[in-house]
Amino acid sequence: MTTYNHSQIEQKWQKYWQDHETFRAEIDPNKPKYYVLDMFPYPSGAGLHVGHAEGYVASDLVARYKRMNGFNVLHPMGWDAFGLPAERYAEKVGGHPKDVSVTNSNRYCSQLKALGLSYDWARTFSTTDPDYYKWTQWIFTKLYERGLAYEVEFPVNWCPKLGTVLANEEVKDGKYVETGDEVVKKPMRQWMLKITEYAERLLQDLDELDWPEGIKKLQRDWIGKSTGADITFNIDGSQEKMTVFTTRPDTLFGLSYCVLAPENPLALKISTKKQRDAVAAYIIAAAKKSAQDRLKNEKNKTGVFTGAYAINPLNNKKVPIYISDYVLGDYGYGAVMAVPAHDQRDYDFAKKFNLPIIPVIEGGDLSKEAWEGNGKMINSDFLNGLDAESSKEVMIKWLTDHNCGKKTINYKLRDWLFSRQRYWGEPFPIIHCEDGKVKALPLQDLPLTLPEMQEYKPTPDGRPPLARATEWIKTIDPETGKPAIREQNTMPQWAGSSWYFLRFCDPKNNQEACSKEAEKYWMPVDLYIGGAEHAVLHLLYARFWHKVLYDIGVVSTKEPFKKLFNQGMILANSFRDDRGKYYYPNEVENNGHDWVVKETGVRVNTQIEKMSKSRYNVVNPDEVVEKYGADTMRVYEMFMGPVDKNKPWTEEGINGAHRFVKRLHSLFIGDDGLSKRISKDVQDDENTLKAYNYMVKAVTEDFETLSFNTALARIMEFMNELGNDKKISQKTAEGLTLLVSPFVPHMAEEVWQQMGHTNTLAYEPWPKYDQQYLVQDLIKIPIQIQGKKVGIVQVPPGAKPETILECAMKLPNIQKQLDSQEIGKQIYVPNKILNLVLKKNSESR
Ligand code: ANZ
C-alpha cells in the first residue's frame, strides 16, 4: 500500500489555489450568487484552537458545495482587530496594540490557510485598516447627521485603581472580574447611538429571517416590547404629577400604593420634611447596587415612605408613595402603580410594609401569593364581570376620556453606549468648535487616522488616552477656519463588525463604502455561521446599522443575514484538582484507578468542558494538521456530530477519521499514480451502481441541511460496500472524488489530477444520481404457520409486519386456514420470515 503523505499533498494544493487564485470571486450577472460568511475572528494572541475551526470548516463545505452547484460564491475572511482584547494582550506581552494585531492576524491567516479553507483572500481586510475605518467613520457621520448619534452625561463603570472605564460584562458585584478591583458608577460624557428608534423594525423584521428560533427569541426579549398604558396621578397637596407605565391598566381599582425608583428626581421633590433624610440616605445606598442585583427577585424588598400621597383618578383615593430599588430608574418612567394582589413584587413589598392587598381579579390564594393569572374582574365598578384582557381596553378608554392616561408601548432596549476611553479603536470623526458646536468631518477629511502613541494606556484621571495626543487634538474647523478640538473618545469594537459583511462585497473601493453594483449583486449574506454567544449584541448592532444604511440608500435589503446557523462548541477533557487548579494533560497520569499529578501524586478529576486556555485543555490545530493533515481534521470535525451541537474532542476520534482518509487514499492512489482498483475498462456491477446512486442522493440532501456527519456516514457505507478489493469504473471513482472533495479538498484535487484532469475540481459539477438505480427491489418473505411454510409474499425491504400479514391473508391457502383459526402470536424476523402461531383453544373448535 502506498503511504499517504498528507503534508506534501496539502502544501502542493494550497500553493496551487493561491497561485491560481482559485477561489477569487468576481461579479458575474449570468450566474446566481451565494454569499457564505463566517463571523470574522478577533485574532487573539493564543491563535486558533480546534474549536474555532468547526464553523470555518462547515462554511467551507457549503462554499465548495455551492460552487460545484453552479453558484458564484463569495466566501471572504478578515480580522476584527480593534478593541480592548488587543490592548490587554499588548500590555501583557509588552508590545503595542498595532504590532500585536498585525502579528496575530498573520498567524490566524496562516492557520486558516493550513486548513485548506476556500476563502477569496484578495478580499481580506482588518477593521484597523484606515481604508476600512474611513467608511466606519463615514457611517458614523451619517448616523450623526440623522440625529442617531448624540452626546450625553452617562454613568459608566469606572475602575479608579486601573484608571479605566469597563464594559458591563467586565463588572460583577461592583468589582472588575479580572482583578477584583473596585468599580464605581461615574458620570462621564459619552456618545450614544439611538438604536431605540429602530426597536419596532428590529422586532418586526425578525419574522422573515431563517434564523434559529432561540436566537430570534433572545433578540425579541432583548428588545422587550410591552404594550400598556401611561397613567398620570396628581400628588396630594403638590403641583407635581407622577406618571407610571403599566402593562395592567385593568388593575387600577386594586391600587394600594405607588413606588418611585431612587433615581427618579421626583423622589426628593415630593418627600415631606420629616421623611427627606431617610429618602436621601436610601438613594445613596441604592446607587451602589448593580441593575442585576436590583432585578433579583428577592422576597425581602426594601424601601422608604416619602410622606407624599398619589390620588387614584378612578375614585380619588389617596395612596402612599414609597421609593424602592425594585423599581428601575431607566425603564418606563421609573415609577410604578403597585397592585399587590396581582403582582408578586408588589405583593412582597406590601407584606413587608403592611399595605393593603385589594383583589380585583378572581383567582388564586392571596394569603399565599399574588394572583398573576386571568379571571373575572371584581371590586372594579364598571369593569366588574369582564375578563382582565378586555378590561384593559375599557380602562384605557376611560383614562383617555378623563385626560389622565393613554395607550403606550415601551421597549426594554436602551440606546447603545458607543464611546470608549481607550486608544485602540476608530477615532470619532467629530470636532468640537470654539462656539460649542459639534461637527462631523466631511468625507474628504476621512479617514481620520489614529495618532501613533507609544504610551497608549488610559490616563489615571479618566481622560481618554487620545487626550494626550496634544498635537493631533488641535485642528481647524473647515467651515470657519477657526481652531477646534478633536473628539478624544474612540469607538467600541462593535463598530467595525457592524458592517464588514458589506465591505467584503467591494473591499478596495475608495469612492464608496460599497458600490451599488456590488451590493445589489452580493447582498444579503445567504448563510452566516458563527457562535450563539453573538445572539444579541453583534447581531443586533449589525442589523441596526444595516437598517440605517438602507434608509440612506446604501443597501437595498432590509436585513443583512438571510440565514443564520450557530455552530456548537468543541469540548475537551480537562484535569483539575480539588482546589480548582488545572493541569496540562502531560502533567498527569493514570495510576490504574485514578488520575494523579505526576510530580506530586495529587488526585485530579477529569471532566469534559468547553475548550479554553484557562482550562489547559486546548487542542492546537497546527499540531493536528502536522500529525494527521488538514483533510483528516476537516473530516473529524464534521464527523463528530451535528455541527450545531457541543461535542468532545477525542484522540480516538481523530485516529478514526485518519484511518478513513487513508482508506480513501488507498482506494484512489496506487504505487505509481492512480490505483489499480480504478479503471476505464471496468463495468460497475449492479450493487455498486445502486450503492453509489443512493450515496449521491443522500449526501446531496445532507449538504442541503448542513448535516455533514450523516453525509460522511453515507460515504463510509459506500466504502464498506466496495470492500478492500472491488474494482470500480473511472466514472464512479470521479463521482466519488467530487463528492468527498468538500471534506478532503487537498486529496481530492490530487486524485483528480491523477485521473488526468488539468484543472481544479472546485468548479466541476456536483455529481448527479440516476433514479433508475434507486428503485428498490421487492424482497421475498416466507410465511409459516405452526412452523410449516405455507406461502411467500413480496414486499419492499423494511415493510411493517402488518403489511406483510395483509399480503399473506390474500393468499388463498393461508386465507382458508385463518378463516377457521385465530392467530395467537406473530413472530417477525425483519426482512426474513413471518411466523404465525395459532391459538390453542380455537384449534379444538
Ligand atoms: C401595575 C401592575 C399590576 C403591573 C399588575 C404588573 C402587574 P414589562 O412587562 O416588563 O414591561 N414597571 C413599570 N415600570 C417599572 C420600572 N421602572 N421598574 C420596575 N417595574 C416597572 O412590565 C411592566 C410592568 O412592570 C408594569 O405594569 C409595572 O407594574 C412594572 F398586576 O403596573 B405593572
Side-chain angles (χ1 to χ4, degrees):
M1 198 167 89
T2 43
T3 47
Y4 164 47
N5 186 339
H6 57 80
S7 319
Q8 197 188 345
I9 295 177
E10 292 180 358
Q11 278 162 24
K12 168 177 165 187
W13 288 99
Q14 283 164 20
K15 184 169 184 316
Y16 175 98
W17 296 328
Q18 182 156 331
D19 292 349
H20 292 77
E21 297 193 303
T22 305
F23 307 113
R24 183 71 179 268
E26 298 291 357
I27 292 176
D28 178 353
N30 298 319
K31 255 179 152 187
K33 66 95 187 183
Y34 195 85
Y35 186 177
V36 47
L37 180 68
D38 295 298
M39 289 184 185
F40 70 161
Y42 148 67
S44 83
L48 275 183
H49 69 56
V50 294
H52 302 128
E54 163 104 351
Y56 303 149
V57 172
S59 66
D60 193 59
L61 260 69
V62 174
R64 290 176 179 274
Y65 170 73
K66 290 287 175 185
R67 279 187 204 103
M68 297 173 82
N69 277 281
F71 286 90
N72 189 13
V73 172
L74 179 58
H75 189 40
M77 179 45 90
W79 323 115
D80 187 16
F82 264 140
L84 203 55
E87 272 191 34
R88 284 244 202 71
Y89 180 72
E91 262 175 55
K92 210 172 95 193
V93 300
H96 193 274
K98 185 175 176 184
D99 305 324
V100 304
S101 297
V102 173
T103 323
N104 293 350
S105 341
N106 287 343
R107 164 121 191 262
Y108 265 62
C109 183
S110 57
Q111 283 189 303
L112 293 176
K113 282 186 175 164
L115 295 178
L117 302 173
S118 63
Y119 295 121
D120 176 358
W121 288 107
R123 289 177 187 259
T124 303
F125 61 81
S126 166
T127 50
T128 57
D129 295 344
D131 285 348
Y132 176 71
Y133 71 68
K134 165 181 177 171
W135 299 104
T136 310
Q137 290 172 331
W138 176 78
I139 296 171
F140 180 82
T141 64
K142 294 289 140 193
L143 287 157
Y144 184 64
E145 276 169 21
R146 295 178 77 84
L148 293 169
Y150 61 96
E151 284 180 287
V152 70
E153 282 273 323
F154 193 86
V156 291
N157 300 309
W158 172 252
C159 178
K161 176 91 183 293
L162 295 172
T164 178
V165 166
L166 295 167
N168 278 337
E169 302 79 51
E170 294 172 311
V171 183
K172 209 175 157 221
D173 300 329
K175 301 213 159 73
Y176 177 33
V177 285
E178 300 264 320
T179 61
D181 289 316
E182 200 196 356
V183 177
V184 293
K185 288 273 179 214
K186 177 173 164 179
M188 283 173 84
R189 191 182 55 81
Q190 301 290 333
W191 281 93
M192 306 287 283
L193 296 188
K194 227 186 246 171
I195 189 170
T196 50
E197 200 164 305
Y198 282 70
E200 191 58 35
R201 284 162 69 186
L202 288 167
L203 187 67
Q204 293 303 332
D205 293 348
L206 280 174
D207 294 346
E208 8 174 306
L209 297 177
D210 182 4
W211 285 21
E213 271 312 313
I215 304 280
K216 287 203 214 179
K217 179 166 187 314
L218 283 169
Q219 291 222 344
R220 286 192 188 109
D221 291 349
W222 187 267
I223 296 168
K225 180 179 181 176
S226 296
T227 310
D230 284 353
I231 303 180
T232 302
F233 294 88
N234 287 323
I235 294 174
D236 192 32
S238 159
Q239 293 301 313
E240 302 286 349
K241 285 177 193 286
M242 182 182 94
T243 303
V244 305
F245 168 69
T246 175
T247 45
R248 301 294 306 275
D250 50 308
T251 62
L252 186 54
F253 281 103
L255 175 70
S256 157
Y257 61 97
C258 287
V259 197
L260 296 172
E263 294 84 356
N264 192 321
L266 259 187
L268 276 174
K269 269 194 214 155
I270 61 167
S271 292
T272 54
K273 234 193 194 140
K274 193 167 151 240
Q275 291 301 97
R276 197 160 300 149
D277 285 350
V279 169
Y282 188 85
I283 293 173
I284 292 172
K288 295 203 173 121
K289 285 200 191 171
S290 71
Q292 283 96 321
D293 288 344
R294 285 172 55 169
L295 275 178
K296 272 187 204 150
N297 229 347
E298 272 172 12
K299 286 256 169 257
N300 190 16
K301 300 262 181 300
T302 60
V304 174
F305 179 41
T306 60
Y309 291 85
I311 299 168
N312 188 340
L314 285 173
N315 48 20
N316 289 326
K317 252 169 76 179
K318 288 184 209 165
V319 296
I321 305 174
Y322 281 76
I323 67 166
S324 171
D325 64 9
Y326 82 89
V327 176
L328 300 176
D330 63 352
Y331 185 62
Y333 296 93
V336 305
M337 56 171 249
V339 185
H342 305 293
D343 181 287
Q344 191 59 39
R345 295 163 301 176
D346 299 346
Y347 183 92
D348 296 337
F349 191 90
K351 278 275 174 204
K352 175 148 178 201
F353 290 88
N354 240 332
L355 293 156
I357 297 174
I358 311 157
V360 291
I361 299 168
E362 247 174 17
D365 176 0
L366 292 182
S367 67
K368 295 205 180 85
E369 58 187 3
W371 170 246
E372 296 189 345
N374 224 321
K376 223 194 268 167
M377 300 300 298
I378 49 170
N379 303 330
S380 296
D381 198 328
F382 57 89
L383 297 178
N384 283 341
L386 293 176
D387 64 49
E389 218 28 65
S390 41
S391 4
K392 279 186 191 166
E393 289 306 319
V394 179
M395 182 61 89
I396 289 174
K397 182 162 185 323
W398 190 95
L399 293 165
T400 318
D401 290 348
H402 290 78
N403 244 338
C404 53
K406 62 173 191 323
K407 189 171 185 155
T408 33
I409 291 171
N410 242 295
Y411 299 91
K412 294 248 154 55
L413 186 67
R414 296 279 82 104
D415 277 345
W416 172 8
L417 173 64
F418 193 67
S419 45
R420 299 291 181 269
Q421 292 68 49
R422 281 283 178 170
Y423 170 71
W424 194 232
E426 299 86 348
F428 280 84
I430 288 286
I431 55 170
H432 300 268
C433 305
E434 277 183 337
D435 58 4
K437 280 198 181 129
V438 179
K439 292 181 182 168
L441 293 176
L443 178 58
Q444 71 261 24
D445 289 354
L446 303 181
L448 170 63
T449 48
L450 193 60
E452 300 265 344
M453 289 175 79
Q454 269 325 303
E455 190 41 75
Y456 57 84
K457 287 174 201 143
T459 322
D461 63 6
R463 284 182 313 145
L466 289 185
R468 295 194 305 265
T470 40
E471 281 313 305
W472 179 85
I473 288 172
K474 283 188 227 148
T475 183
I476 301 287
D477 176 355
E479 275 172 16
T480 62
K482 290 191 179 154
I485 297 285
R486 292 196 193 285
E487 170 65 43
Q488 294 142 39
N489 284 317
T490 50
M491 298 188 200
Q493 189 166 15
W494 306 112
S497 56
S498 288
W499 76 283
Y500 74 108
F501 40 89
L502 178 62
R503 186 67 177 171
F504 276 140
C505 299
D506 195 9
K508 302 267 153 46
N509 196 332
N510 246 327
Q511 304 306 310
E512 292 167 288
C514 176
S515 76
K516 286 237 154 31
E517 187 200 7
E519 185 279 329
K520 263 214 131 49
Y521 184 73
W522 292 116
M523 286 298 286
V525 174
D526 295 281
L527 176 65
Y528 195 24
I529 299 193
E533 68 275 18
H534 294 294
V536 193
L537 302 179
H538 160 61
L539 287 171
L540 202 63
Y541 295 155
R543 292 181 61 221
F544 165 48
W545 276 38
H546 196 78
K547 289 186 184 302
V548 177
L549 292 175
Y550 176 81
D551 290 347
I552 60 177
V554 174
V555 299
S556 57
T557 65
K558 285 189 187 160
E559 286 287 333
F561 315 119
K562 208 154 116 188
K563 183 180 166 94
L564 176 73
F565 190 88
N566 295 126
Q567 87 262 15
M569 272 186 299
I570 291 195
L571 313 171
N573 219 347
S574 66
F575 300 94
R576 188 157 70 142
D577 67 20
D578 289 338
R579 286 164 45 220
K581 183 175 182 326
Y582 280 101
Y583 297 87
Y584 287 107
N586 62 2
E587 292 177 308
V588 297
E589 62 189 356
N590 195 311
N591 66 10
H593 34 99
D594 276 329
W595 284 93
V596 294
V597 180
K598 281 183 199 161
E599 245 176 46
T600 59
V602 169
R603 212 182 65 82
V604 289
N605 304 307
T606 66
Q607 62 209 70
I608 303 277
E609 290 185 286
K610 185 179 166 191
M611 200 177 269
S612 80
K613 230 174 74 182
S614 59
R615 296 186 180 94
Y616 289 15
N617 63 349
V618 163
V619 178
N620 182 336
D622 304 354
E623 286 165 21
V624 179
V625 166
E626 184 174 335
K627 190 161 168 198
Y628 301 101
D631 283 345
T632 292
M633 176 158 152
R634 296 168 64 105
V635 165
Y636 178 46
E637 294 222 342
M638 294 299 102
F639 192 58
M640 288 169 96
V643 182
D644 56 351
K645 293 283 171 328
N646 295 345
K647 308 146 281 222
W649 179 278
T650 66
E651 202 61 27
E652 304 89 79
I654 186 96
N655 270 311
H658 195 50
R659 281 195 300 276
F660 166 71
V661 173
K662 283 198 289 199
R663 224 174 130 203
L664 261 180
H665 181 261
S666 71
L667 165 68
F668 289 126
I669 306 284
D671 285 332
D672 42 13
L674 213 54
S675 125
K676 298 271 175 298
R677 290 180 63 187
I678 295 166
S679 156
K680 287 200 170 114
D681 310 326
V682 170
Q683 285 271 328
D684 293 315
D685 65 24
E686 189 78 3
N687 283 345
T688 305
L689 286 171
K690 277 185 183 161
Y692 172 80
N693 284 285
Y694 172 71
M695 166 181 69
V696 173
K697 178 167 188 279
V699 169
T700 307
E701 286 165 2
D702 286 341
F703 263 77
E704 288 294 334
T705 56
L706 275 66
S707 180
F708 301 122
N709 58 325
T710 53
L712 274 165
R714 318 276 195 194
I715 295 168
M716 290 172 188
E717 271 166 35
F718 178 67
M719 296 288 286
N720 289 341
E721 168 65 33
L722 294 185
N724 286 332
D725 35 35
K726 196 172 197 176
K727 292 195 169 183
I728 52 171
S729 69
Q730 174 145 347
K731 190 162 162 253
T732 296
E734 286 188 347
L736 178 62
T737 308
L738 295 173
L739 210 66
V740 298
S741 68
F743 292 103
V744 289
H746 309 86
M747 192 220 284
E749 292 273 24
E750 181 66 23
V751 171
W752 195 246
Q753 191 179 57
Q754 298 285 352
M755 285 171 168
H757 303 282
T758 49
N759 258 336
T760 169
L761 53 61
Y763 297 90
E764 288 298 319
W766 185 251
K768 300 240 172 328
Y769 57 86
D770 187 340
Q771 191 67 39
Q772 66 163 309
Y773 295 106
L774 297 177
V775 187
Q776 284 183 330
D777 291 337
L778 297 180
I779 52 169
K780 291 181 179 156
I781 309 265
I783 312 291
Q784 289 194 345
I785 295 183
Q786 312 295 70
K788 253 188 26 218
K789 187 169 154 191
V790 285
I792 288 180
V793 296
Q794 293 206 25
V795 292
K800 294 206 179 91
E802 298 89 272
T803 319
I804 297 166
L805 187 61
E806 220 172 89
C807 300
M809 301 275 255
K810 287 184 189 141
L811 300 178
N813 60 330
I814 296 182
Q815 210 174 26
K816 222 163 87 196
Q817 273 202 54
L818 293 182
D819 266 354
S820 55
Q821 287 170 305
E822 260 181 81
I823 301 168
K825 216 161 107 187
Q826 354 173 341
I827 306 153
Y828 178 56
V829 185
N831 298 333
K832 294 252 154 56
I833 191 162
L834 178 67
N835 236 313
L836 302 174
V837 183
L838 301 175
K839 271 194 186 162
K840 276 223 172 78
N841 54 356
S842 61
E843 270 173 315
S844 58
R845 254 202 318 201

